[in-house]
Amino acid sequence: MPELPEVETIVRDLEPRLTGRILRAPRLFKPDVLRRVSPRRLLATLARNRIEQVTRRAKHVVLRFKSGHRMVVQPGMTGNLLVYDRPLTAPERRYVVFLSKLDGKATFVYRDVRRLGRVWLLDEAGWRSYTARIGPEPLAPEFDAVAFAARFRGTRQAVKKALMDQQRLAGVGNIYANEALFRAGIDPSRPANRLGPVALANLHREVRAVLGEAIAAQGTTLRDYRTGTGRRGGFQFALHVYGRGGQPCPRCGTILQTTHLIDGRATTFCWRCQRGP
Ligand SMILES: [Zn+2]
């Protein structure tokens, strides 16, 4: 699933192309992605509505409209969000979930081959309760090491699982949890409340560093993820451990281990570099 850096990349690509534009004739082709909104209400609300702001929250793209509504899209593993400045070709029309002409010639498209994505339409009250349920943004300037440590106090959950818990911290999924723990030299199975202040400070620094570097590389494309202009990301070439089980550790040469025992997901780590104190 696209994590914070991938969704941030999509948002940065869409933002200049969508802000201030009016949706003309929005159409929904696959209503099964909708959550808690009917196709009729979605389309009636969005038609002739102006997009005032394009932002990201956690792993979701958030379009705020003049009416005060927000269309929230979680693209999922196979979802792409794109703006075309020309008519779509027949292959580009395949798997289209949602499409709208914009004022001018452009077309805004959400395409999703396996339809693992989700779309919500929230009013002000719905938005406030949605965003209140999600943890802080790890790249927010005020999210310092003290704020980070506070999110992990009092849980015996494995630190990797805690990192990926969206109520604790927004936007980190399996790829960047694996990478940040390796870079910080922390055993992913270690209970979060057993981490000392130095380990927590290291993890805070490495979470922010790896997310920042991945944004600079426009995200990680392992299969289907594309940027908001349809290109592949570049961070797959900079991964240290994720997807590299059985290969040598880039730091010490020990063979990297993969386990599914921590949270059911693939966790790849170096037992020598990530032993911890
Ligand atoms: Zn190592």
Side-chain angles (χ1 to χ4, degrees):
M1 183 197 285
E3 302 181 29
L4 186 157
E6 291 74 41
V7 178
E8 180 67 23
T9 301
I10 292 169
V11 163
R12 289 182 185 186
D13 286 341
L14 294 181
E15 197 272 334
R17 296 160 156 229
L18 287 182
T19 307
R21 310 304 292 276
I22 296 169
L23 296 195
R24 306 278 184 210
R27 294 176 69 189
L28 183 74
F29 296 88
K30 307 288 182 186
D32 55 357
V33 298
L34 297 187
R35 291 296 177 275
R36 296 198 294 270
V37 60
S38 67
R40 180 194 293 253
R41 190 163 72 82
L42 178 85
L43 296 175
T45 304
L46 297 185
R48 296 173 300 284
N49 213 336
R50 183 190 300 272
I51 299 172
E52 293 204 320
Q53 193 184 39
V54 182
T55 53
R56 179 190 56 75
R57 176 75 171 114
K59 305 173 190 176
H60 303 173
V61 176
V62 182
L63 307 180
R64 183 170 59 79
F65 286 84
K66 188 166 192 284
S67 65
H69 293 88
R70 286 171 175 85
M71 181 183 182
V72 177
V73 183
Q74 178 183 333
M77 202 149 52
T78 59
N80 304 136
L81 289 158
L82 296 156
V83 178
Y84 290 93
D85 293 322
R86 51 167 176 77
L88 275 68
T89 64
E92 286 166 350
R93 284 191 171 274
R94 286 186 76 194
Y95 309 114
V96 168
V97 168
F98 173 90
L99 171 153
S100 183
K101 295 261 180 232
L102 304 171
D103 49 336
K105 276 186 186 156
T107 306
F108 171 48
V109 177
Y110 167 38
R111 184 193 296 119
D112 199 335
V113 176
R114 288 172 63 194
R115 298 208 297 285
L116 302 168
R118 306 272 181 272
V119 174
W120 293 263
L121 183 72
L122 304 174
D123 59 14
E124 271 299 334
W127 166 254
R128 279 196 299 271
S129 76
Y130 154 89
T131 194
R133 283 194 300 270
I134 304 174
E137 288 290 334
L139 295 179
E142 68 276 15
F143 189 65
D144 57 15
V146 175
F148 180 83
R151 305 302 294 176
F152 295 92
R153 203 165 289 145
T155 177
R156 276 178 287 180
Q157 268 190 339
V159 58
K160 185 197 168 211
K161 200 169 177 181
L163 265 182
M164 292 167 59
D165 175 356
Q166 297 301 294
Q167 296 189 346
R168 229 174 260 292
L169 184 65
V172 176
N174 202 32
I175 295 176
Y176 300 106
N178 272 286
E179 292 298 310
L181 287 162
F182 173 76
R183 293 163 59 133
I186 295 171
D187 175 353
S189 68
R190 214 181 146 109
N193 63 358
R194 300 264 309 277
L195 295 174
V198 173
L200 282 167
N202 287 342
L203 187 56
H204 169 257
R205 186 187 66 237
E206 295 304 333
V207 164
R208 286 165 54 107
V210 75
L211 294 173
E213 289 166 30
I215 291 169
Q218 305 208 306
T220 300
T221 296
L222 297 168
R223 286 186 54 145
D224 299 298
Y225 158 70
R226 296 292 183 276
T227 71
T229 57
R231 294 189 310 270
R232 288 167 189 272
F235 200 69
Q236 59 276 18
F237 303 114
L239 296 173
H240 288 124
V241 287
Y242 183 84
R244 297 191 69 248
Q247 298 179 42
C249 169
R251 195 167 291 160
C252 76
T254 302
I255 297 299
L256 297 171
Q257 308 283 310
T258 298
T259 177
H260 289 79
L261 292 178
I262 296 173
D263 53 7
R265 311 283 305 276
T267 300
T268 302
F269 64 101
C270 174
W271 60 265
R272 185 169 283 167
C273 293
Q274 292 173 262
R275 260 189 302 210

